[in-house]
Amino acid sequence: MTPLTTSPRPAGSRHRQVAAPVAPGSGALRPLGLDDVSIAGGFWAARQRLNHDAIVPHIASWLERTGWLANFDAVAAGTVAATRRGREFSDSEVYKLLEAMAWEIGRTGDEALETHLDAIVARVAAAQHADGYLNTRFGNPGQPARYSQLDWGHELYCYGHLFQAAVARLRTGHRDRLVDVAVRAADHVCAVFGPDGIQGVCGHPEIEPALVELYRATGDERYLAQARLLLDRRGHHTLPDIEFGRGYFQDDVPILEATDLRGHAVRALYLSAGAVDAAVEQDDPALADAVEGQYLRALERRTYLTGGMGSHHQDEAFGDDYELPPDRAYCETCAGVASVMVAWRLLLRTADLRYADVIERTLYNVVAASPREDGKAFFYTNPLQQRVAAQETDPDAVSPRAHAQLRAPWFDVSCCPPNVARTLAQLATYVATASDDGVQLLQFVEGEVTAQLGDGATVRLAVTTRYPDDGLVAVRVVEAPDRPWDLTLRIPAWATGATVEDGGKVAAAHAPGHVVSGLAAGDVVVLRLPLEPRWTHPDPRIDAVRGTVAVERGPLVLCAESVDLPDGVALETLCVDPMLPPQPDGDGAVVEGSSVRFAEPDRTPYGAPPIPREVRSVECRLVPYHRWANRGPSAMRVWLPTT
Amino acid sequence: MTPLTTSPRPAGSRHRQVAAPVAPGSGALRPLGLDDVSIAGGFWAARQRLNHDAIVPHIASWLERTGWLANFDAVAAGTVAATRRGREFSDSEVYKLLEAMAWEIGRTGDEALETHLDAIVARVAAAQHADGYLNTRFGNPGQPARYSQLDWGHELYCYGHLFQAAVARLRTGHRDRLVDVAVRAADHVCAVFGPDGIQGVCGHPEIEPALVELYRATGDERYLAQARLLLDRRGHHTLPDIEFGRGYFQDDVPILEATDLRGHAVRALYLSAGAVDAAVEQDDPALADAVEGQYLRALERRTYLTGGMGSHHQDEAFGDDYELPPDRAYCETCAGVASVMVAWRLLLRTADLRYADVIERTLYNVVAASPREDGKAFFYTNPLQQRVAAQETDPDAVSPRAHAQLRAPWFDVSCCPPNVARTLAQLATYVATASDDGVQLLQFVEGEVTAQLGDGATVRLAVTTRYPDDGLVAVRVVEAPDRPWDLTLRIPAWATGATVEDGGKVAAAHAPGHVVSGLAAGDVVVLRLPLEPRWTHPDPRIDAVRGTVAVERGPLVLCAESVDLPDGVALETLCVDPMLPPQPDGDGAVVEGSSVRFAEPDRTPYGAPPIPREVRSVECRLVPYHRWANRGPSAMRVWLPTT
């Protein structure tokens, strides 16, 4: 492992460069970089290894196989109009892969991966126009004109992912050709979409947070101003009123006037991330507060138990308040990634540790659910109920369906695999934060955390845990300043009965955080989180799951899979008794219930109160939701009807 | 009213011509025509007047305003490629209007309407190619080639509606230019898509039932053979595997091998109608039984309480068994029309009167729900729950959204308004049937029924009723043969406690039908149907409405609308007590219940069992579902949570 060298503060930038995707100029908490935090073992270390060894190579090979990377070569060769393959946003998958590679290189120092990245960047760079324009779907000979389809063309969206990849390079110490390409493209965007330029926005937000981060990483104020311009332009009906409504694009009302996250979930969340970024840099609390209010309302009314967002398949969109069908949950993997992006920005701004609860829930139950155990197939949607076990499909074919009921190796719209890859590669940056007077341990992973306090004093912690298999988290202070400082341990909202042992004394620990002060090198603090499986009840306003309960265990949502049912018991007949506590069973649980059979319907499934025909007591094993469908096709449900 | 002259039996046809859209060559029951049945008063007479006075003129004016009719003029002028407006299937709306006009002319003898129809037909005819090809979107100079996009081009679908319009003219005594145009187009289809022609099918079924009916109306056997060829070709993957799957087009498995209705609901039902038609004409019970099995399974597992079909917005499709979300119910108006088409064909074939229950349910709760009270706006989708009262929209603008939450005057995809119009115009044909030995009264409408029995003997009935406002249906025998014959009165499945009074004797009457024999002219039979509002419970497998009940009154599904709630009571807080019977209230009901308020969620709507904070007793008025949103924007629900 080659040590990572953080790049110096760029000329003109007030921003500390940190090997992390988000580096605000101010905020209640400061992020730590990949070089500050290591994930040495356990749940997420295994997934980071999988990402490096399987997911990233898998994505790279499919970008070759589908010709989406070759589109860049075809632009350079002047043949792209005749040969181009893939959807209008396929360039962005290449950029997401580059970002994932950049963080992986930053994390591991893998030289072969660096060579691979350089080779891809060379192909991308060769497709860039002299004025900075870069796209394989528009603007080249024989193609539709540049920016002629702002609603669906995704040109600015693609730049956004390009910029995020460049930021990853800058933050991990590389001012390379990828950065040059991104800076030229960003300069081009500022020239073309500036105050006197095209008065439009991209149908898919993404460039907004990317421009702010590129500003933070380069110090070029134009990028911040351009981001704000695009944020302020949205909501003024520059995009058409489509079947799904202008809310789909978040172009129905300005961000400051909106009360809810609405429309396409990924679009809404990327836009929110960009708005928080701009608000923080421009010291605009009204804008940040508006987004925070929208996000909190979404958490309370438009979010699934898994942390997933998006209730509609049709428009990949948020539904109305409490419209959260489990079977038609969309819960796009990318919306999970995007929700983590928003929650993280709000956490840094406000120090409200409950946002780290959201991040944990989403990482364990959406992001971790997407990749198959071998890292070579992915869920795009993450429903909470699968009524009928899927048909096996060609495991080596592109899925034309986002709602593939088995993980698929690739999709016609394949945003989710590289979004998972870049998130797993960044994961260490979400583990802990620093403030002037302390360190906040947010996620419980085996490894080390090094942080500088306000005066530059170093705190170094070594964390030992088998979480989430076990609730014991031991934090050893390896290095600490002589002056007072605080260690804050996040206490999840579900962790009723958590304790912290410090110097032999055990204290009750309450959500959202428990502060331990006065620690010196060599001290050990032990956090004990209760991981007994627990019943979870839905809000009565969520119509679609009335009369059901779910089981959670620590941060994990559990589910029943048909492959675990006793012979002769169909998942649709299963009811459980929430008076009996669920029993631990490995990383899952066992619940007592009944299999209840009713008469088959005759002509209509409506009429007199139904009478059970056959009732059989059953024990049902529940497994972590993120593992479902790893044992082949299965019916599945998170919400279990009560007896 | 000019008397309608039924056209003579065409040369070579074994089919009795009847002024009705469906005239099978064999079957357990025979349909009656518009000239055999009159609807003189009540619920449906009002809607037939509305159709004639408002709906048909409204549709005609919008077809001019949108330019969809002018597209035909542009074909004739050679300018269509540059000027064409509307979606690829917009021709079909013109043909559906022509069919509606044809039945209206048949019903009323309206000469002004006949002149209007002739004028439209002249414009359509001028666009027909010399070889019979007719389409404004394909095949004309500057347009994509004929039949180059069978998946989405809808060319054969459009012919289907053209043929249905021509059949309406033939069956109402007019062998006119519209018939000539249709016959030329049908001959063209047989030449191009015959055994040695293009080995493909249209992405949207519809031509199949239309070709069989054109065969029945003209006697030309080629049309029947062509329909069967197209039916047999489907299910063999000639259409692409799209995002929604080949099931969307019913091209995944052959009709004979399928067990379920699946994919796009209107497509599935039109195909089913055509398959029954071909099976009846070709004496192929295996094909008819296969479709009947699929349709029965759909009624039992994939149909809403309203009779509506289609659970997905994304692909306008059936869901899995018991996947019937009320809020995201699609229940396209056209799927209701199409379900009536299938149920009617199965009824004629089998004499199973329960299909008339389905027709009644669907007509009252889907078809009647679509048009606004003034006939100038329509629902395309018919959900069973509207969480948030819609925003008022421009009442004079085309809706880009099928799921408009207020009725819209027109849609980008505007199939539903003319489908409602043609159905209302045909309505008398669904009221009664004849068999060799009797007459079956299926729908309870004020008016007269005249039927010929097997030996040509005439039965004439006069029906007096205020149904569904009142459950009394008096049937007076005006004319009857001397020999024994049966009057069968359909008894709906919900009508527990129905009685029939015949010659002073009252007998219990049970579903599906009650037979009265030996009636002579002057006799009166009185059917009394119980119309007290009743609780209806869903099958426990319908997850989305667990823990709820609905109220029905006779054939009417009722609903709660927010405009009827007491001040300060939100619809989302309403619970009802199914132990207390709902009380009659006009054509609706009043139920006892509670308004229950829970704590607002804090960060997440999941956790401990929710505790009510405020409970208030309320009475809630329920109104017929078909009338909802006629008093402005409203939240609405059919399924009411129980206390």
Side-chain angles (χ1 to χ4, degrees), chain A residues 97-458:
Chain A
L97 173 68
L98 289 174
E99 186 190 344
M101 287 176 150
W103 295 122
E104 274 301 293
I105 294 164
R107 186 176 77 81
T108 64
D110 182 334
E111 291 179 13
L113 197 57
E114 174 118 23
T115 305
H116 193 171
L117 177 139
D118 287 345
I120 295 174
V121 168
R123 295 165 73 182
V124 168
Q128 190 166 34
H129 294 212
D131 68 350
Y133 181 83
L134 176 58
N135 193 279
T136 70
R137 176 68 182 78
F138 293 92
N140 302 295
Q143 291 184 324
R146 293 176 179 189
Y147 310 123
S148 55
Q149 297 173 28
L150 285 178
D151 45 356
W152 298 108
H154 286 77
E155 287 155 288
L156 301 188
Y157 165 84
C158 289
Y159 290 140
H161 282 294
L162 173 69
F163 300 167
Q164 288 195 320
V167 167
R169 291 298 277 168
L170 282 166
R171 295 262 172 79
T172 51
H174 303 269
R175 184 157 185 119
D176 67 350
R177 195 170 182 187
L178 175 56
V179 174
D180 295 339
V181 169
V183 164
R184 289 173 63 201
D187 292 348
H188 158 80
V189 168
C190 293
V192 174
F193 285 86
D196 303 321
I198 298 171
Q199 300 296 306
V201 297
C202 185
H204 200 315
E206 156 62 20
I207 195 170
E208 295 84 354
L211 275 170
V212 178
E213 220 54 62
L214 193 64
Y215 150 70
R216 288 168 172 166
T218 63
D220 192 329
E221 303 261 358
R222 288 177 305 155
Y223 305 153
L224 174 60
Q226 184 64 48
R228 184 58 187 256
L229 200 54
L230 294 173
L231 289 163
D232 288 344
R233 264 185 207 151
R234 194 167 295 262
H236 294 286
H237 300 197
T238 67
L239 295 166
D241 184 19
I242 58 169
E243 180 181 358
F244 312 140
R246 283 201 177 85
Y248 175 85
F249 302 122
Q250 295 77 46
D251 192 38
D252 49 345
V253 290
I255 299 170
L256 267 170
E257 294 170 24
T259 53
D260 288 295
L261 293 187
R262 68 225 175 273
H264 189 271
V266 177
R267 282 171 166 81
L269 291 160
Y270 283 175
L271 185 70
S272 296
V276 175
D277 286 337
V280 165
E281 295 309 321
Q282 298 187 321
D283 194 16
D284 182 349
L287 180 60
D289 291 348
V291 174
E292 184 167 28
Q294 295 163 28
Y295 186 68
L296 284 173
R297 278 187 59 89
L299 289 178
E300 292 166 353
R301 294 169 173 81
R302 300 185 177 188
T303 302
Y304 285 92
L305 180 62
T306 53
M309 293 184 177
S311 303
H312 293 179
H313 279 56
Q314 186 184 31
D315 43 0
E316 308 187 310
F318 285 102
D320 286 331
D321 285 352
Y322 304 113
E323 184 186 323
L324 294 162
D327 45 0
R328 294 289 282 177
Y330 200 70
C331 292
E332 182 178 340
T333 301
C334 290
V337 168
S339 179
V340 169
M341 288 168 59
V342 178
W344 181 244
R345 283 157 170 80
L346 293 172
L347 173 71
L348 294 179
R349 176 173 182 265
T350 64
D352 183 340
L353 300 187
R354 292 178 292 180
Y355 289 119
D357 282 21
V358 176
I359 291 171
E360 177 178 60
R361 180 174 291 276
T362 309
L363 288 176
Y364 275 105
N365 301 294
V366 179
V367 175
S370 176
R372 196 169 59 200
E373 285 172 323
D374 67 358
K376 296 181 177 177
F378 302 84
F379 274 135
Y380 187 118
T381 61
N382 296 280
L384 277 71
Q385 179 179 8
Q386 173 69 38
R387 293 173 180 279
V388 182
Q391 300 282 314
E392 289 273 16
T393 49
D394 180 350
D396 198 38
V398 175
S399 173
R401 275 168 282 289
H403 56 285
Q405 293 155 356
L406 289 171
R407 293 173 180 88
W410 201 249
F411 300 89
D412 280 345
V413 178
S414 217
C415 41
C416 295
N419 237 341
V420 167
R422 71 187 184 109
T423 303
L424 291 177
Q426 306 166 351
L427 213 66
T429 72
Y430 301 118
V431 168
T433 50
S435 59
D436 286 351
D437 300 315
V439 176
Q440 299 77 36
L441 187 66
L442 305 171
Q443 305 299 338
F444 310 116
V445 296
E446 176 109 355
E448 285 203 353
V449 174
T450 305
Q452 261 74 44
L453 306 186
D455 56 1
T458 295

Side-chain angles (χ1 to χ4, degrees), chain B residues 226-306:
Chain B
Q226 183 64 47
R228 183 57 187 254
L229 200 54
L230 293 173
L231 289 163
D232 288 345
R233 264 185 207 150
R234 194 168 295 263
H236 294 286
H237 300 199
T238 67
L239 295 167
D241 184 18
I242 58 168
E243 181 182 358
F244 312 141
R246 283 200 177 86
Y248 175 86
F249 301 123
Q250 295 76 46
D251 193 38
D252 49 344
V253 290
I255 299 170
L256 268 170
E257 294 169 24
T259 53
D260 288 296
L261 293 188
R262 70 227 172 272
H264 188 270
V266 177
R267 283 172 165 81
L269 291 160
Y270 282 176
L271 185 70
S272 296
V276 175
D277 286 337
V280 165
E281 296 309 321
Q282 298 187 322
D283 194 17
D284 183 348
L287 179 60
D289 291 349
V291 174
E292 185 168 28
Q294 295 163 27
Y295 186 68
L296 285 173
R297 277 187 59 89
L299 290 178
E300 292 166 354
R301 293 170 174 81
R302 300 184 178 189
T303 302
Y304 284 92
L305 180 62
T306 54

Side-chain angles (χ1 to χ4, degrees), chain A residues 80-92:
Chain A
V80 71
T83 63
R84 190 180 183 283
R85 294 167 65 189
R87 291 287 299 271
E88 57 273 35
F89 35 72
S90 68
D91 294 358
S92 77

Side-chain angles (χ1 to χ4, degrees), chain A residues 479-553:
Chain A
E479 184 178 345
D482 289 338
R483 56 104 163 171
W485 66 284
D486 292 338
L487 170 64
T488 302
L489 302 169
R490 177 179 66 96
I491 310 297
W494 49 261
T496 308
T499 62
V500 171
E501 183 179 342
D502 167 27
K505 285 195 298 198
V506 177
H510 300 289
H514 183 89
V515 179
V516 184
S517 302
L519 291 168
D523 287 349
V524 176
V525 174
V526 176
L527 168 65
R528 288 188 178 84
L529 295 166
L531 291 190
E532 293 76 33
R534 62 189 187 275
W535 294 115
T536 296
H537 298 257
D539 189 288
R541 284 162 284 208
I542 306 177
D543 291 300
V545 293
R546 179 172 288 108
T548 69
V549 289
V551 179
E552 295 180 279
R553 187 184 154 279

